[in-house]
């Protein structure tokens, strides 16, 4: 596909493509517990998970962007989504079975 586009600068950034692809996969996986929490009306857990993910992403951006640039930004976003997804999974697990 890169040969058809004819833009060599895109080929030089293939590592960013793979990093963003990994980020997209983690974000999609984080949406699974988020959706389950939404279906069970656990709004507080959704907000808490989003805030924890935000804090994790902000801290990771402060630490990773200066030395690594765009790769650090992608890694920081990946960290934020991972925290959000893990918290959502934990919240579902501790909530017990759905009785509705």
């Amino acid at each position: 596909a890169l040969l058809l586009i004819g833009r060599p600068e895109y080929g030089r950034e293939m590592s960013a493509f793979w990093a963003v692809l990994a980020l997209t996969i983690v974000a999609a996986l984080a949406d699974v517990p988020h959706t389950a929490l939404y279906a069970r009306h656990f709004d507080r857990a959704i907000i808490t998970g989003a805030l924890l993910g935000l804090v994790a992403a902000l801290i990771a951006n402060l630490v990773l962007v200066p030395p690594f640039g765009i790769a650090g930004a992608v890694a920081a976003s990946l960290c934020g989504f991972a925290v959000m997804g893990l918290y959502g999974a934990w919240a579902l697990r501790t909530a017990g079975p759905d009785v509705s």
Side-chain angles (χ1 to χ4, degrees):
L2 289 174
L3 292 174
L4 294 173
I5 295 171
R7 304 279 307 263
E9 60 270 17
Y10 292 155
R12 290 191 296 267
E13 298 297 332
M14 284 304 291
S15 60
F17 167 77
W18 293 112
V20 171
L21 181 63
L23 169 61
T24 303
I25 291 168
V26 170
L29 290 174
D31 280 343
V32 173
H34 178 88
T35 303
L37 290 168
Y38 176 78
R40 294 177 72 180
H41 305 288
F42 290 172
D43 296 338
R44 183 166 294 171
I46 293 170
I47 293 168
T48 302
L51 290 175
L52 288 173
L54 171 66
V55 170
L58 285 173
I59 292 170
N61 269 296
L62 290 171
V63 171
L64 297 175
V65 170
F68 299 110
I70 192 165
V74 172
S77 295
L78 195 144
C79 179
F81 277 111
V83 166
M84 188 177 80
L86 290 171
Y87 177 81
W90 176 82
L92 282 172
R93 184 169 174 82
T94 58
D98 187 13
V99 293
S100 58

